Amino acid sequence: MSTKGELQLKTSCYHCGDPVEDSAYILEDHRFCCLGCQTVYQILNDNNMASYYKYNSHPGKSQKAQKEDLSYLDEPNIIAKLVDYQDDELAIITFYVPAIHCSSCIWLLEHLYKLHPGVKTSQVDFMKKQASITFKKNEISLRELVELLHKIGYDPKITLQDVVKEGKKINQSKLIAKITVAGFCFGNSMMISFPEYFGMAEFERQYSNFFGYMNLAFGLPVLLYSASDYFKSAWLSLNRKGST
């Protein structure tokens, strides 16, 4: 009899599916593994969003993990680099949310406006596990939006790569400019050299030295500008070897 009683006590968390034995977290005949999972259920239930649990069994993520410090999301310069677009009223941001795994996740994230009036719209790309959210800046801050996602168990993954992405764009534009200069000089140098390849006429031979100087002139921007990164890298390597 005791063995049967122990088996009856063992069940799964109604929110995340983790095993539950003697749990003190019981709400409306549902058992939860921790206070976090119970809180998420209560938030959804209070906002008439209990349909979240009808699409899949145990669709949520365990809330046992401790939350990170989000104070850095109050910094205007960080916000400007994270958001995709912003004006005086609205902002749009795309989050990578690893916890997206089923239709319940999509349903909940696309109904965030029911949890907070500051959220205007939200769209989920299931394959990429991304959520694009448009929110009203005067009603909910970026930090509050991320905290809302934390509360319902969909922690967005915000990395240093997101913060420095603008700097990477600038470096890429410089590289494109260098490639463009190299291509322009190469093309013009080839055109000037065509008469020499196919045999120069008497008239063209008079300008052979001039064409040679022109080729040299076109080579200088490639050497001094387009190839500058290679020379810098070589110089730094030599300096490191010298210091060791």
Side-chain angles (χ1 to χ4, degrees), residues 113-130:
Y113 64 90
K114 291 186 176 181
L115 295 178
H116 198 293
V119 178
K120 189 175 181 183
T121 61
S122 53
Q123 293 181 332
V124 176
D125 187 327
F126 180 76
M127 298 300 294
K128 295 181 179 179
K129 295 184 181 294
Q130 291 181 344

Side-chain angles (χ1 to χ4, degrees), residues 176-230:
I176 292 172
K178 291 179 179 180
I179 294 174
T180 303
V181 170
F184 174 81
C185 293
F186 173 79
N188 282 277
S189 180
M190 288 296 293
M191 283 195 301
I192 291 174
S193 301
F194 274 158
E196 190 171 351
Y197 293 149
F198 294 109
M200 292 188 292
E202 189 65 30
F203 172 77
E204 291 166 338
R205 287 198 186 100
Q206 298 177 9
Y207 294 94
S208 60
N209 290 335
F210 174 75
F211 290 151
Y213 289 127
M214 286 292 292
N215 280 334
L216 179 62
F218 281 123
L220 289 176
V222 177
L223 182 68
L224 300 177
Y225 177 66
S226 298
S228 60
D229 289 337
Y230 296 100

Side-chain angles (χ1 to χ4, degrees), residues 54-110:
K54 293 181 180 179
Y55 294 98
N56 294 274
S57 299
H58 317 301
K61 180 185 175 184
S62 176
Q63 299 296 300
K64 292 179 181 177
Q66 295 183 350
K67 303 304 179 184
E68 59 180 316
D69 181 17
L70 300 175
S71 58
Y72 69 96
L73 293 176
D74 291 327
E75 297 294 330
N77 58 331
I78 293 180
I79 294 173
K81 292 177 180 179
L82 287 175
V83 297
D84 302 324
Y85 166 82
Q86 67 174 332
D87 53 30
D88 294 336
E89 298 180 1
L90 300 175
I92 302 174
I93 187 168
T94 301
F95 290 120
Y96 172 63
V97 186
I100 297 175
H101 68 282
C102 64
S103 56
S104 294
C105 304
I106 298 173
W107 182 86
L108 178 57
L109 290 172
E110 291 190 344

